[in-house]
Amino acid sequence: MSALAGRRIVLGVTGGIAAYKAVEVCRRLVDAGAHVIPVLSSGAQRFVGETTFSTLASEPVVRSLWDIGVDEPVPGRHTSPIPHTRLGQTADLILVCPATARLIGTYAAGISSDLLTATLIATTAPVVICPAMHTEMWDHPAVQENLATLQRRGVRVVPPSEGRLAGGDHGRGRLAEPSTILDVVHGVLTPPSLAGVRVLVTAGGTREPIDPVRFIGNRSSGKQGHALADEAAARGADVHLVTTVDRAAAAGVRCTRVDTAQEMHDVVLGELGATDVVVMAAAVADFRPVGVADDKIKKDAGVPTVRLEPTPDILAAIGQRRRGDQVVVGFAAETSSVREHARSKLERKGADLIVANDVAAPSVGFEHDTNQVVVLVRDPAAETGVREVEVPLQSKRAVAAAVLDVVETLRNDRRVPPTR
Ligand code: PMT
């Protein structure tokens, strides 16, 4: 299950132009299953409409220390009609996005000047802040010292990136991307259940060149593989992502960029001995042209004949060389008889589990942000020798979490000790 499902997140929004990006962060948190309570400072209310957040979030916006009626009391927890203590006590995490220099200074000084700063001081929940401001302000020693103070106290800071700022300026101070912010929130809320485990994930579609400008490829965007790598990293794993796509990965994920099935094969098999869990989410071409033309094939020479040969089957090779304590996860992209085909791949390729997706179904498989899968797990205790875990349509990150839950159960059943 996603680490965000059902978690109460207070989303503090302060007054900067980047407040409009907090709307997207709010939407993504809710999509990931979090219960989001937006708290808008008076400055934020000048930049974004309260109605926008109230519509997208799980509860209406709370604006002031004198707002009452913040949801129902949580059983077993001390309750109070004062919003800041209620918010602070019931939150699983407080995210301030964007955080202005003023918010950072006030919070570091321990001053509760409004509902958000009072909530920050009244909480023992983890706090993540995402600064956004002009470069000169970001570089100011007072801001940097305040941030250092907060970090010493355990506050997680998502540093701003470099880019276009308000008024057309350019420099550091731009709010981090929503996906980066979500990764940090995931990381903070996810127990490090894979700490010390070496996980290798493949992602994207391979490209098999025909000539210097053409290739045989497929529609894989790499989203599912990258989501698996990010989720494994959030669980504390030591992750190596072998990918064909230029997508950002979560902090700490080691990336190797490859193009062809052969390149992917060489990297993955080279790393196999130093890996505990392998997840083959990549869409690897089954065939490649025999030889690559040195020059672009010319149209006026007529329709060319491209002879094909099989690529190495990476998953099958892993299945042959693997150790018994390793967990090997294959995927199956099918358009019909999904379970039958996936079952046959489980048998043939020596995997412990196969994650099967019906890529002809709406919102499933290639390119989408969502996926729906059935995980077939080798299980001698099951009547058919195979156990099935249904994973309903949801974000690829949530599907990744469900797949890694199965991997963890398998490791626990086998009592695989941590490697380091
Ligand atoms: O990347 P996205 O746009 O997010 O889409 C996700 C996805 C649809 C690509 C993903 O969910 C998925 O299904 N990946 C596997 C695609 C695939 O190649 O399936 P397959 O049924 O052809 O292959 C079965 C397994 O063998 C896969 O684990 C594949 O990685 C592996 N394989 C295949 C051929 C080959 N030569 N070597 C392999 O290792």
Side-chain angles (χ1 to χ4, degrees), residues 220-222 224 280-282 312 314-315 331 345 349 357 367 396:
S220 172
S221 63
Q224 185 62 79
M280 285 293 302
I314 306 168
L315 182 57
F331 268 66
K345 281 175 184 160
K349 300 211 183 197
N357 35 203
E367 294 169 317
K396 281 185 170 163

Side-chain angles (χ1 to χ4, degrees), residues 188-261:
V188 171
L189 287 177
T190 308
S193 48
L194 286 173
V197 178
R198 299 161 298 180
V199 176
L200 190 153
V201 181
T202 64
T206 61
R207 293 177 167 201
E208 310 301 330
I210 297 170
D211 67 15
V213 298
R214 302 182 180 93
F215 59 85
I216 296 175
N218 61 66
R219 287 172 38 214
S220 172
S221 63
K223 288 178 185 173
Q224 185 62 79
H226 278 240
L228 279 152
D230 292 352
E231 178 65 23
R235 294 178 182 212
D238 175 359
V239 185
H240 184 183
L241 175 63
V242 183
T243 180
T244 68
V245 295
D246 295 319
R247 288 180 80 80
V253 172
R254 180 160 61 101
C255 290
T256 302
R257 187 63 177 71
V258 295
D259 276 325
T260 64

